[in-house]
């Protein structure tokens, strides 16, 4: 383990890692977890590449940003690599999130069972509609959007999930940023404006479809 | 227009364009549509970059894969660039899609109003549960998964949308590929195995969250 910890000496400053590499790391973690649960101990960049439809060279390059993980010709120790990537990504702790917009989509998000097992706890839900405020949805009492800043502070919320209609998305995102949130998961189909230092990921099935038709047109 | 059409002479074979560039093009189309609807006629790579949190150089490089769109120092004609990108992406026509898995998520997908205006028509819905087969959901009669291949042919379906639980996702994806589908939108949280020539895009909010915590940890 000592030699492993020294690996960080070889790694670049975090700002130097391309965002596209960061976005692939959770996929690596997922595949490593799958291999680990099937009893494997070592994995090659070739095996990872096959699972992720990437070349082994690309995988080795991605991982090299964070130090030296594998030994030449011997592959990666699955549990060590998985643990290291989880630490790099900040997945060795839990994160508190708030959902803004409690219409059909927001209700589906707060009832989705896939967040909590991965360490993402939705602790607050907001809506602007006074008829929805006060309702209990999936165990959460919906709060007025006017309480956002105080609630973010009270619950130590670090992630905002935006499920409002497109016409209100930018103002809600502005309010989340104002409240100190720096990570936003945006389900509204627009590209919002945010200040530097704030990361937005969009969940938009139409964009995904639009980048597949290129290959079948 | 004649000189514009000649631009394709400068472009690379489609296989040479990095996938990450293709994935950004729908974002360009969206921003161009927004600018166009606000009455703008010309846009600079600086303006595009500001909206998309990219550098102007990256934008110019992305677009250069497909020919010469802008004149030095004069920016891009919005409607011409938007039209060209829509053609490149295959968005100048409609596409038929089928949803497999008509639980809560599948029902939300077939009732989502954002697909049809963008040219994606969901024409068939499938489930393995005989109690669900035959039901009418958002105007679609749910078919047995055993009818998949015939229905894909009958409806000229080019896109499969997978909304089954994770344990059944790989077998459903195999069935879609077997039925001739080459574009799959996968909502199940796994990285499926598909043959070369088949494109899969995952919709997975957990992966998106996991690549944001890197920046706030």
């Amino acid at each position: 383990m000592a030699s492993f910890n020294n690996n960080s000496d070889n790694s670049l400053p975090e700002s130097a890692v391309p965002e596209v590499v960061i976005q692939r790391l959770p996929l690596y973690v997922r595949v490593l977890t799958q291999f680990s649960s099937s009893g494997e101990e070592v994995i090659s960049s070739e095996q990872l590449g096959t699972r992720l439809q990437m070349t082994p060279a690309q995988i080795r390059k991605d991982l090299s940003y964070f130090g030296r993980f594998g030994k030449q010709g011997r592959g990666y120790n699955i549990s060590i690599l998985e643990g290291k990537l989880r630490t790099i990504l900040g997945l060795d702790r839990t994160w508190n999130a708030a959902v803004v917009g409690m219409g059909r989509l927001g209700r589906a998000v707060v009832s989705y069972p896939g967040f909590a097992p991965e360490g993402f706890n939705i602790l607050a839900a907001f809506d602007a509609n006074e008829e929805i405020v006060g309702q209990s949805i999936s165990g959460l009492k919906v709060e007025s959007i006017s309480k956002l800043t105080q609630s973010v502070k009270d619950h130590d919320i670090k992630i905002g999930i935006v499920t409002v209609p497109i016409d209100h998305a930018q103002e809600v995102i502005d309010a989340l940023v104002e409240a100190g949130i720096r990570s936003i998961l945006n389900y509204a189909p627009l590209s919002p404006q945010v200040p530097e230092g704030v990361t937005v990921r969009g969940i938009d099935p139409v964009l995904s479809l639009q980048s597949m038709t290129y290959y079948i047109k």
Side-chain angles (χ1 to χ4, degrees), chain A:
Chain A
M1 275 311 264
S3 67
F4 177 72
N5 285 332
N6 285 336
N7 289 341
S8 59
D9 296 342
N10 304 318
S11 59
L12 288 168
E14 301 207 339
S15 59
V17 182
E19 186 164 357
V20 65
V21 174
I22 301 302
Q23 290 187 272
R24 282 196 286 264
L25 294 189
L27 282 170
Y28 293 170
V29 170
R30 171 170 294 168
V31 169
L32 290 167
T33 306
Q34 286 171 1
F35 270 89
S36 174
S37 67
S38 62
E40 303 286 330
E41 288 181 8
V42 175
I43 193 167
S44 65
S45 50
E46 286 76 13
Q47 287 173 294
L48 272 170
T50 301
R51 288 299 295 265
L52 293 168
Q53 300 188 285
M54 295 169 59
T55 65
Q58 182 68 61
I59 302 228
R60 288 192 294 267
K61 188 180 171 201
D62 278 7
L63 296 178
S64 73
Y65 282 106
F66 306 98
R68 294 169 61 86
F69 289 111
K71 287 195 177 150
Q72 193 71 39
R74 286 182 53 187
Y76 302 102
N77 178 299
I78 291 175
S79 70
I80 291 179
L81 180 57
E82 182 192 341
K84 180 74 175 168
L85 291 181
R86 284 188 181 274
T87 303
I88 288 168
L89 285 169
L91 305 179
D92 50 356
R93 51 161 284 184
T94 61
W95 296 94
N96 297 338
V99 177
V100 184
M102 291 307 290
R104 190 199 310 228
L105 180 58
R107 286 159 201 258
V109 166
V110 297
S111 70
Y112 177 60
F115 291 125
E118 300 292 343
F120 296 100
N121 299 318
I122 297 175
L123 295 190
F126 298 91
D127 204 283
N129 182 340
E130 290 301 326
E131 289 178 24
I132 295 176
V133 170
Q135 285 184 18
S136 181
I137 297 174
S138 296
L140 290 172
K141 192 169 176 188
V142 180
E143 299 176 70
S144 166
I145 188 80
S146 64
K147 304 280 171 54
L148 186 65
T149 300
Q150 187 60 46
S151 187
V152 161
K153 204 171 155 189
D154 291 347
H155 291 107
D156 190 28
I157 284 166
K158 300 294 187 190
I159 295 168
I161 303 178
V162 177
T163 51
V164 298
I166 184 168
D167 291 347
H168 297 287
Q170 182 67 56
E171 65 189 277
V172 161
I173 287 167
D174 292 345
L176 285 166
V177 171
E178 182 71 23
I181 298 290
R182 287 164 54 214
S183 294
I184 295 169
L185 189 65
N186 171 36
Y187 281 83
L190 90 166
S191 301
Q193 301 302 290
V194 291
E196 207 167 332
V198 176
T199 310
V200 180
R201 297 273 186 261
I203 299 285
D204 189 339
V206 168
L207 287 182
S208 299
L209 291 173
Q210 289 179 330
S211 77
M212 287 200 290
T213 48
Y214 174 80
Y215 297 101
I216 56 171
K217 70 170 193 290

